[in-house]
DNA sequence: AGTGACTGCCC
DNA sequence: ATTCTGC
DNA sequence: GCAGAATGGGCAGTCACT
């Protein structure tokens, strides 16, 4: 409904949609939940329960009502949002109920999104994709499909001529691709800059007397970083747009802290106190604009020189270090050094490439784990499947969306993570065949301290073992193991292992301390 | 004042 | 974030 | 190789309820 950089939220997700459908079509919350689980999609669930009357509302009317929902807050707002959505659902047709329910979830599932629409706009103008490149350039600095469509509909491509980089208007961030190893990176990218990969949050800094900042997804985060309001003295420039990673320091030791701790700075209350508890360093690694000039198409080698000339030593901003190389061996050595320092790894950047927003091409590549390994964790974890959920969308066909995994504590099992990534469709099918035989009516007695939020659709007896990988272990307040896995994924199914052989809580703790 | 349910946004 | 899949 | 669609932990914020 709105461009990324406008903070418009519905405040409605799965649970509230279910309640709205229940209210609109006169069903119990339970039966709607069941229909939702069965369909694996709110849209088809709404459709199947549809009991409304089509008032032929205009698109404007629907838009207005949805917008009203986004603007509703305060005491009584939850009921009101649900009521507004329910009223809307009861006055549209059956088919509309499918899409209307998906809108707040951002799950229209039409098989296309912004990029495809750029192609479509090009077809609209030229009957082919020839305008895509230009459209994409405009999109990069004005990621607002509605605005672009309207502009070229009215003025053709000429209408885009004034769409350019502007301080205060967020630019689509350049993201990293992945490649399996250093050799591939050098082969694909040639001469590269290699920089430390900090495990913090992305901050795009816009400065022109005052500072505005944007997150990786272009949310305005200005209020979170009051320390950036006085960076003028760190800049040899009137106006700039910088790209950086912010990471917290331990105020006593000055050491970098974990992502989990850094992220407590992501707040809008008590900012002044938290600022002292969690001071941030902004590792600046790119410059996109300086004194009226866009640097997006300038090669990185040159941008880097400009960046170094622009930043002065000071409290908040630090120019990120780097090496330049075209040797895979040197790249490997540098990457290993970053891991030893406790950083996330390295980012490898094509030395002569322009700033390429999005994740296309191989201009930036992340290098996190050691070669040949899955995940950064020193060892994989063997965990037992405690239950599974039926899954949404495509997963519905396999009967499994995710599995709840446990590790051993004495003769009991406690949860350590859920897992939904890494299985091929064939493996998912296989998992379902194995697990449906292990179905239990109730939570098995040996499953201890399971938090409600993890209750699966189906409990299974502890038989099937999975080997999983991850990037980090985190301290967990919710998982019974006391720890959990960051970015968990399936390595392989271990029919050869018995549940008694799975990793123990003690071993998980040891792994945590090794990090 | 404290807690739990839910959501949105970081990774 | 990671991973898989259809095109 | 891209675009899309499944899925993860965990933080803060908001609102409802006790």
């Amino acid at each position: 409904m709105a461009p990324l950089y406008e903070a418009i939220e519905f405040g409605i997700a799965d649970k509230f949609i279910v309640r709205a459908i229940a209210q609109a079509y006169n069903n119990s919350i339970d039966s709607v939940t069941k229909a939702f689980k069965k369909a694996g999609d709110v849209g088809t669930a709404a459709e199947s329960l549809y009991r409304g009357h089509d008032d032929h509302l205009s698109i404007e009317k629907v838009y207005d009502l949805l917008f009203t929902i986004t603007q509703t807050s305060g005491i009584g707002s939850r009921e009101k949002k649900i009521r507004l959505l329910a009223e809307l659902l009861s006055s549209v047709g059956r088919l509309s109920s499918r899409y209307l329910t998906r809108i707040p979830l951002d799950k229209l599932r039409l098989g296309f999104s912004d990029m495809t629409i750029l192609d479509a706009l090009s077809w609209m103008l030229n009957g082919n994709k020839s305008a895509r490149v230009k459209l994409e350039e405009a999109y990069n600095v004005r990621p607002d499909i509605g605005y672009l469509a309207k502009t070229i509909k009215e003025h053709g491509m000429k209408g885009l001529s004034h769409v350019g980089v502007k301080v205060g208007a967020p630019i689509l961030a350049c993201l990293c691709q992945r490649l399996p190893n250093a050799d591939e990176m050098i082969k694909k990218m040639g001469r590269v800059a290699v920089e430390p990969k900090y495990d913090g949050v992305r901050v795009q800094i816009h400065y022109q007397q005052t500072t505005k900042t944007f997150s990786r997804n272009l949310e305005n985060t200005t209020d979170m970083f009051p320390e950036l309001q006085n960076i003028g003295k760190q800049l040899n420039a009137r106006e700039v747009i910088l790209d950086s990673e912010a990471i917290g320091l331990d105020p006593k030791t000055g050491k970098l802290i974990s992502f989990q701790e850094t992220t407590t700075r992501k707040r809008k209350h008590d900012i002044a106190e938290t600022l002292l508890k969690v001071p941030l360093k902004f590792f600046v690694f790119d410059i996109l604009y300086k004194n009226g000039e866009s640097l997006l198409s300038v090669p990185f080698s040159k941008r880097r020189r400009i960046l170094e000339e622009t930043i002065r030593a000071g409290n908040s901003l630090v120019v990120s270090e780097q090496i330049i190389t075209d040797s895979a061996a040197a790249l490997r050595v540098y990457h290993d050094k970053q891991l030893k320092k406790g950083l996330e790894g390295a980012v490898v950047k094509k030395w002569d490439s322009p700033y390429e927003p999005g994740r296309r091409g191989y201009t930036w590549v992340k290098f996190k784990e050691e070669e040949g390994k899955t995940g950064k964790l020193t060892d994989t974890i063997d965990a037992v499947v405690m239950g599974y959920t039926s899954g949404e969308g495509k997963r519905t066909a396999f009967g499994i969306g995710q599995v709840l995994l446990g590790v051993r504590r004495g003769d009991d099992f406690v949860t350590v993570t859920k897992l939904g990534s890494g299985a091929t469709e064939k493996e998912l099918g296989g998992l379902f065949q194995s697990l449906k035989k292990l179905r239990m009516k109730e939570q098995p007695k040996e499953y201890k301290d399971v938090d409600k939020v993890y209750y699966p659709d189906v409990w299974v007896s502890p038989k099937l073992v999975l080997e999983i990988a991850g990037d980090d272990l985190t301290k967990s307040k919710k998982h019974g193991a006391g720890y959990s896995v960051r970015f968990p994924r399936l390595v392989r199914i271990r029919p050869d292992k018995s549940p008694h052989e799975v990793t123990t809580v003690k071993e998980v703790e040891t792994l945590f301390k090794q990090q």
Side-chain angles (χ1 to χ4, degrees), chain A residues 460-480:
Chain A
V460 297
S461 62
K463 292 267 155 51
L464 187 66
V465 178
L466 304 185
E467 180 181 349
I468 63 166
D471 271 15
D472 288 292
L473 290 177
T474 55
K475 275 214 143 117
S476 177
K477 289 189 175 118
K478 286 225 162 85
H479 280 291

Side-chain angles (χ1 to χ4, degrees), chain A residues 470-499:
Chain A
D471 271 15
D472 288 292
L473 290 177
T474 55
K475 275 214 143 117
S476 177
K477 289 189 175 118
K478 286 225 162 85
H479 280 291
Y483 300 93
S484 192
V485 184
R486 181 143 85 135
F487 313 140
R489 53 257 202 195
L490 178 68
V491 176
R492 58 200 156 125
I493 304 171
R494 297 298 298 263
D496 54 310
K497 286 230 171 186
S498 81

Side-chain angles (χ1 to χ4, degrees), chain A residues 302-321:
Chain A
K302 194 168 164 201
R303 294 205 306 280
R304 174 72 191 195
R305 185 154 47 73
I306 297 170
L307 174 66
E308 287 170 3
E309 290 162 4
T310 305
I311 308 289
R312 292 195 208 130
N315 276 333
S316 297
L317 309 181
V318 192
V319 177
S320 190
E321 58 161 86

Side-chain angles (χ1 to χ4, degrees), chain A residues 19-27 51-52 85-90:
Chain A
R19 285 167 63 180
I21 296 171
Q23 201 170 311
Y25 304 146
N26 213 354
N27 274 99
R51 225 189 296 163
L85 185 59
E87 281 168 13
L88 190 48
L89 285 176
S90 60

Side-chain angles (χ1 to χ4, degrees), chain A residues 344-359:
Chain A
E344 231 195 328
V347 181
V348 184
K349 300 175 178 179
K350 201 167 167 187
W351 187 224
D352 272 313
S353 177
Y355 189 86
E356 301 250 36
R359 198 180 262 118

Side-chain angles (χ1 to χ4, degrees), chain A residues 159-170:
Chain A
L160 298 182
S161 58
H162 67 280
V163 176
V165 181
K166 244 181 21 199
V167 174

